[in-house]
Amino acid sequence: MASLCCSVRRLHPLQRPKFCELLNYARPGDTVHISEIFRLVRGTGHILDVLDVLHREQVALRIHDGAFSAMDLTARHPRTGELLSTVKFMVQTLAAARELRHDLQRELTYDGLRAAEAKGSKGSR
C-alpha cells in the first residue's frame, strides 16, 4: 500500500499524506468513516480510485451524510469482483452533478465580481 502513497501534496486522495497514513494503519475488515464523500475526494475518477484501493485492502467505507450515505459503495459483482455497474453509474452521476454545481457557483461568483467592478466596487472578503 505504501507504494501508492507519496508525500507530494496534490488533490488526489491517494497522494495525501494523512490518507496514506490511514490506509497504512487500516487492516482488512476495518471500516473508514467519513462525514461526506467530498471531504475525501474532489472528482469522479478519485472516487473510483479510492473505492478500488479500499476494496483491494478489504477496508469498508461508511459515509454518514450526503447523497452517498444511503449507498453501498462496496457492492461488487459476485463472479468478477468488479464494482457493480449500477454503483459505478450512481457514483459517476452524483460526482458529475456535484462538479457541475461547484462550477456554476464559481461562474456566478465571477459574474457577481464583474458586475460589482462595473459599478465601481471591489470584491472583498
Side-chain angles (χ1 to χ4, degrees):
M1 173 81 309
S3 63
L4 285 175
C5 298
C6 64
S7 60
V8 177
R9 270 193 93 104
R10 299 178 80 197
L11 289 179
H12 200 291
L14 298 177
Q15 295 175 324
R16 293 184 190 152
K18 292 295 181 180
F19 187 66
C20 292
E21 283 181 37
L22 177 124
L23 290 175
N24 289 327
Y25 179 80
R27 300 292 173 251
D30 286 352
T31 300
V32 173
H33 291 261
I34 58 174
S35 60
E36 208 264 337
I37 189 70
F38 295 110
R39 300 285 298 154
L40 174 61
V41 296
R42 302 292 182 255
T44 309
H46 294 181
I47 295 172
L48 298 175
D49 290 345
V50 168
L51 292 176
D52 284 342
V53 168
L54 292 175
H55 175 70
R56 189 170 48 249
E57 298 296 317
Q58 300 176 355
V59 174
L61 177 65
R62 174 72 171 100
I63 302 163
H64 294 276
D65 296 317
F68 292 99
S69 63
M71 294 177 60
D72 178 10
L73 297 178
T74 60
R76 301 281 170 162
H77 191 278
R79 281 187 236 136
T80 65
E82 293 178 0
L83 194 63
L84 285 179
S85 56
T86 53
V87 171
K88 190 174 183 179
F89 173 76
M90 289 304 298
V91 165
Q92 291 171 332
T93 302
L94 291 170
R98 192 263 187 192
E99 288 179 38
L100 173 65
R101 183 183 59 134
H102 182 264
D103 291 345
L104 289 174
Q105 283 179 323
R106 186 176 9 181
E107 288 174 16
L108 290 172
T109 299
Y110 289 134
D111 289 346
L113 289 172
R114 279 192 293 267
E117 270 182 32
K119 291 180 181 179
S121 297
K122 286 186 176 181
S124 64
R125 294 195 119 207

